[in-house]
Amino acid sequence: MLRRVVRQSKFRHVFGQAVRNDQCYDDIRVSRVTWDSSFCAVNPKFVAIIIDASGGGAFLVLPLHKTGRIDKVYPTVCGHTGPVLDIEWCPHNDQVIASGSEDCTVMVWQIPENGLESPLSEPVVVLEGHSKRVGIVSWHPTARNVLLSAGCDNQIIIWNVGTGEAMINLEDMHPDVIFSVSWSRNGSLLCTACKDKKVRVIDPRKNKIVAEKDKAHEGARPMRAIFLADGNIFTTGFSRMSERQLALWKSPICVQEMDSSNGVLLPFYDPDTNVVYLCGKGDSSIRYFEITDEAPYVHYLNTFSTKEPQRGMGYMPKRGLDVNKCEIARFYKLHERKCEPIIMTVPRKVSVLREFKSLRDRVILQDRRIARLEEQVAKVAL
């Protein structure tokens, strides 16, 4: 019996490719705020980027096709009185975006169909309830007009955007700063990572903690926690020796150490392929891993590297990808002065073979036609 040396995977040969310079978004003053968010949000129509702004907070909203150099006077969304810390597009309406800011408010904006023609300073809804800056905003994955916000006042508020009122207020569950919040696939549970080194699973309807993991990562630096499609939890953080770690919390527990860099790892998860992409702030690479039922459960696939470090990263939803070109993910990498799309493609051997067989059949058919014509010419000559 032959021992299988190489693990079978459909995504072993996934490769990343940066687009040409003329397809990038140039001359953008990306925000310099020291907050560990992605600073970028993308959907099939627009790319939104948090920028440096004087006299308050602002972010750009660009139609995807508006590539090249962006004019310095291009209109922005500029209603906040403090720096914008996080933005997220509504999954149910591609023209609605939410933003959280240091001014302790959450604002919801309606973007015109063809993008901004003048500065937008009037939000559709202003949500006020936090006493400190709001660092996380996240839309409910399945219910319309439901928005979550988490602030440095250590509380999570779930809003009804239609009425502008708070539906659920999760207080006294986190004794320190909340680093990340993730909805489960159907939106029934929340997973949070806190500065007290605990990962909590919360049922917001019952207002109680369902599960809790103490010292998920022993390092003091920020960590992230996200739900996977099967309900397990994937986290990134730091060890006691400040080495970056990733972990899959299932039975048995899988913890892997990566490197000793100090950039916070931002995880992006694709539930359709079970691939997790890790983008470190300040790194110049994107690492990707496949999650399976075979030990060690989290399998390293490859690394996409560039020369420039990333200030932030946007992740395109699956419905915005060109699946006809075998595109499985697209990132929008923020440099200091530009935004660069990066396309992840999985080469398909089946499609290559199909094309080869089609070409071969056409050649054979052409040869047969030529042979028949030669026979006809020979008969006529006789």
Side-chain angles (χ1 to χ4, degrees):
M1 180 177 174
L2 291 175
R3 180 171 168 268
R4 192 173 69 183
V5 178
V6 180
R7 186 183 64 87
Q8 293 293 321
S9 172
K10 296 177 182 178
F11 307 103
R12 177 177 300 283
H13 303 292
V14 169
F15 65 94
Q17 188 174 11
V19 301
R20 301 191 311 269
N21 283 336
D22 61 340
Q23 294 179 308
C24 296
Y25 308 86
D26 285 313
D27 207 12
I28 295 170
R29 307 181 308 279
V30 177
S31 174
R32 296 177 180 272
V33 175
T34 55
W35 184 256
D36 293 318
S37 72
S38 59
F39 290 160
C40 182
V42 193
N43 69 16
K45 286 186 177 180
F46 302 104
V47 54
I49 302 166
I50 302 175
I51 60 170
D52 263 341
S54 57
F59 58 95
L60 274 174
V61 176
L62 304 169
L64 286 186
H65 60 80
K66 187 172 177 55
T67 54
R69 184 179 175 277
I70 306 302
D71 200 320
K72 289 183 179 179
V73 295
Y74 192 86
T76 60
V77 180
C78 52
H80 285 286
T81 57
V84 178
L85 300 180
D86 196 21
I87 50 176
E88 185 171 278
W89 290 102
C90 176
H92 309 291
N93 187 337
D94 285 340
Q95 290 167 238
V96 173
I97 187 170
S99 60
S101 168
E102 280 192 5
D103 63 9
C104 308
T105 65
V106 178
M107 294 185 180
V108 179
W109 310 84
Q110 177 84 28
I111 306 300
E113 179 75 31
N114 298 317
L116 297 177
E117 295 180 356
S118 59
L120 183 60
S121 58
E122 292 296 326
V124 178
V125 182
V126 178
L127 305 174
E128 296 177 326
H130 289 282
S131 58
K132 293 185 179 179
R133 60 182 179 174
V134 181
I136 300 169
V137 290
S138 180
W139 291 95
H140 195 283
T142 57
R144 277 181 174 271
N145 288 337
V146 177
L147 177 67
L148 175 150
S149 65
C152 291
D153 52 4
N154 310 337
Q155 66 173 328
I156 295 173
I157 302 176
I158 299 176
W159 305 89
N160 182 340
V161 175
T163 61
E165 298 175 350
M167 296 188 294
I168 299 171
N169 196 329
L170 303 176
E171 296 180 292
D172 305 324
M173 290 187 178
H174 301 88
D176 216 323
V177 176
I178 302 166
F179 287 140
S180 75
V181 181
S182 170
W183 291 99
S184 62
R185 193 98 189 269
N186 61 7
S188 62
L189 297 172
L190 293 174
C191 172
T192 67
C194 182
K195 194 175 181 179
D196 66 354
K197 303 179 186 178
K198 289 186 179 181
V199 171
R200 296 172 174 83
V201 177
I202 300 170
D203 186 335
R205 293 183 181 88
K206 296 179 180 178
N207 206 330
K208 75 171 187 176
I209 298 172
V210 177
E212 193 173 72
K213 173 62 184 174
D214 192 17
K215 292 187 178 178
H217 297 277
E218 293 191 350
R221 292 185 57 83
M223 60 181 179
R224 293 284 186 277
I226 57 172
F227 267 114
L228 303 182
D230 57 5
N232 289 323
I233 293 170
F234 182 89
T235 63
T236 63
F238 293 80
S239 69
R240 190 179 297 171
M241 303 300 291
S242 291
E243 293 178 321
R244 293 198 293 194
Q245 294 179 323
L246 57 90
L248 178 64
W249 300 100
K250 60 179 289 178
S251 183
I253 295 166
C254 167
V255 180
Q256 297 182 24
E257 291 189 353
M258 285 180 48
D259 55 33
S260 57
S261 178
N262 60 359
V264 176
L265 288 169
L266 305 177
F268 297 93
Y269 174 62
D270 182 357
D272 299 317
T273 60
N274 250 4
V275 175
V276 173
Y277 303 86
L278 299 184
C279 309
K281 287 209 119 183
D283 289 5
S284 56
S285 62
I286 301 172
R287 295 180 177 90
Y288 35 106
F289 301 78
E290 185 177 7
I291 297 174
T292 69
D293 294 328
E294 301 176 17
Y297 309 109
V298 181
H299 303 272
Y300 171 76
L301 291 175
N302 212 333
T303 300
F304 170 79
S305 298
T306 56
K307 295 178 181 178
E308 297 289 328
Q310 55 226 17
R311 300 280 298 277
M313 193 71 72
Y315 182 63
M316 175 68 79
K318 187 61 68 73
R319 56 197 175 88
L321 303 181
D322 188 351
V323 293
N324 292 324
K325 295 181 180 178
C326 297
E327 186 180 354
I328 64 166
R330 191 189 308 159
F331 293 91
Y332 286 73
K333 175 180 173 178
L334 298 185
H335 299 248
E336 190 174 350
R337 298 286 295 183
K338 80 172 182 179
C339 175
E340 176 186 37
I342 296 169
I343 296 170
M344 295 289 179
T345 306
V346 55
R348 287 293 185 213
K349 183 169 65 175
V350 174
S351 62
V352 175
L353 285 174
R354 190 183 296 123
E355 187 176 349
F356 168 75
K357 288 177 181 178
S358 175
L359 183 61
R360 183 192 61 189
D361 292 344
R362 289 201 298 270
V363 170
I364 292 172
L365 185 62
Q366 193 72 15
D367 288 345
R368 287 175 181 170
R369 287 175 178 170
I370 291 172
R372 284 198 298 268
L373 286 173
E374 287 176 344
E375 289 177 3
Q376 292 174 5
V377 169
K379 288 179 182 179
V380 170
L382 292 173

